[in-house]
Amino acid sequence: MSTQDQAPYVASCPECDVDLQTDAPNEIIEFHRRHYRVTGHEAEFEYAQLDLDEDVTSDGLKDVVWQLQEQYENGVPIGVVAAVMSDRGLSIGETLDEIHEVRMTGGLYEPQDDHLGAF
Amino acid sequence: MTQWDDSQAKAVSEDITEKSNALPARYFTDDDVFEMEKDKVFGQYWVYAGHANCIKESGQYFTRTIGDRQLIVVRGHDGEVKAFDNVCAHRGSKMVEDTPMTDPGDAKRIKCPYHLWTYDLDGELKSTPKSFEEAGLNPDLEDEDVQKFDAEENALNDVHVDTIGPLIFVNLSEDPMPLAEQAGVMKDRLEALPLGEYEHATRIVSEVECNWKVFASNYSECDHCQANHQDWIKGISLNESELEVNDYHWVLHYTHAEDVEDEMRIHDEHEAQFHYFWPNFTVNMYGTADGYGTYIIDPIDTNRFQLIADYYFRDSELSEEEREFVRTSRQLQEEDFELVERQWEGLRTGALAQAQLGPNEHTVHRFHQLAQEAYDS
């Protein structure tokens, strides 16, 4: 919980009175995982102020990562990917599931934990 | 006297008369201490795992993460609750997915998805796939020379489990003190109440930006209530209230200014009772509700914890009155979050090396003593 002004990334659980405001997009993913572990509920983005060099024009997950990875040195934070996919109608949980599926096909990899690169 | 310098900080004072040293601030702010607590606090004492009513049927289970360990807490075929590390005896794979108490899983057996080693609900290895019985790919070994895995020797790693009424506790140490010893009179008091007749109704989980011990300390005293819980304090006679200290738990007895109807509470006393059980569990017997609540104050890291608040009522469906009660409880939590986050902002500046405690903070003093004892052990 925090009383700070609007942070760049805000997520909350629709079923609980709990939210997370943070500067770090991957904190949203950790929050989602922790909250799911103790409640089974999925937290969702309420707000994401993406600070990207250029707009993401792609729709598909792999293409989004492909386009974003030029802006990051060692992989795109998974929280940024989830925020972009949230704009396209996917929940955080759905994005994490899809990341897993595409990784299993070899289309995505993790150059570091919770950061994605695309082939 | 207040210590502003680390070199002047002392251990927690033995009593709270002349000296009233709090736990030195570095024990709240140092990341090394958080790592030490996994072993010396959460690895040594009985820690609340969850509620037996959520796993009433054989095979029902939930997971609970304590420090770096994740446990499977499961109701066995014999009706007893058991707990195992969520780790396969074969090559150490995590087995079941994270499963909250509020949405328990159901399994006849526990199967590791990696090589399909399968355990019964007592944790014993019951079956392995054919690839562990035949050595067709190994030219140096005949099928008949393949070892047979002993079911008991290759069982899951079980941890100690005990209960107070429907409340399930686990202990990660090899040779723990009995739960009855750690709980003392709290065990008798809670077991005298029909806690098992009440059902889990709702869970609220919050993430709070402060060390878990800051919130635990705040929960344990009410000197801050007059200034900070102004709605709640209206119904309480603080002067007639009492803070009782025991070895590993303390009880905050709050007397209501005006008597409330007996049928509005689970317990008979004309008071509310808030039990704090070292290290991170509370049982909240409210004076104005026929139900009870629990808090788990679970550390995430040095700077954050989760408050897992569960509420139990006669029926798992909340009535309007109960929903309003939970809302009021939530208001108290929010007020406390403001306080502890502000305290944390101050503490983490490093300006104060050691706080001092007031005479009505003897419950906090006990909490700090227990922490000091654990660290020094």
Side-chain angles (χ1 to χ4, degrees), chain A residues 1-4 15-21 27 30-41, chain B residues 65 70 98-100 102-103 203-209 300 304 306 308 330 334 337-338 341:
Chain A
M1 312 304 294
S2 176
T3 55
Q4 66 196 27
E15 299 184 60
C16 297
D17 186 14
V18 59
D19 66 7
L20 178 74
Q21 303 186 28
E27 263 294 309
E30 283 303 312
F31 168 67
H32 177 281
R33 288 171 178 154
R34 286 194 298 269
H35 194 69
Y36 184 79
R37 188 158 64 218
V38 293
T39 63
H41 304 159
Chain B
T65 301
Q70 188 177 66
D98 298 347
T99 309
T102 51
D103 186 18
R203 164 173 279 196
I204 301 175
V205 179
S206 309
E207 294 205 5
V208 188
E209 291 172 8
I300 296 169
R304 295 176 299 172
Q306 277 183 322
I308 304 172
R330 178 66 188 169
E334 292 283 1
F337 294 162
E338 287 283 323
E341 288 192 340

Side-chain angles (χ1 to χ4, degrees), chain B residues 173-209:
Chain B
S173 76
E174 292 289 318
D175 185 24
M177 76 169 95
L179 174 62
E181 184 181 332
Q182 188 179 319
V185 294
M186 182 178 122
K187 179 175 166 68
D188 300 329
R189 285 179 182 170
L190 293 184
E191 286 184 342
L193 299 171
L195 301 188
E197 294 175 15
Y198 288 64
E199 297 295 329
H200 185 266
T202 190
R203 164 173 279 196
I204 301 175
V205 179
S206 309
E207 294 205 5
V208 188
E209 291 172 8

Side-chain angles (χ1 to χ4, degrees), chain A residues 10-86:
Chain A
V10 182
S12 68
C13 169
E15 299 184 60
C16 297
D17 186 14
V18 59
D19 66 7
L20 178 74
Q21 303 186 28
T22 179
D23 296 332
N26 275 7
E27 263 294 309
I28 297 290
I29 303 301
E30 283 303 312
F31 168 67
H32 177 281
R33 288 171 178 154
R34 286 194 298 269
H35 194 69
Y36 184 79
R37 188 158 64 218
V38 293
T39 63
H41 304 159
E42 300 209 2
E44 299 296 342
F45 274 105
E46 272 190 6
Y47 178 76
Q49 184 185 346
L50 289 162
D51 186 19
L52 302 173
D53 295 343
E54 56 187 73
D55 289 341
V56 181
T57 52
S58 307
D59 280 335
L61 173 75
K62 184 179 163 183
D63 292 336
V64 165
V65 176
W66 181 266
Q67 192 179 343
L68 283 171
Q69 67 184 353
E70 290 180 11
Q71 301 179 40
Y72 294 90
E73 270 196 13
N74 198 21
V76 185
I78 206 167
V80 169
V81 177
V84 171
M85 297 311 290
S86 175

Side-chain angles (χ1 to χ4, degrees), chain B residues 280-292:
Chain B
N280 68 331
F281 181 57
T282 83
V283 183
N284 312 316
M285 313 295 306
Y286 306 104
T288 53
D290 187 21
Y292 63 99

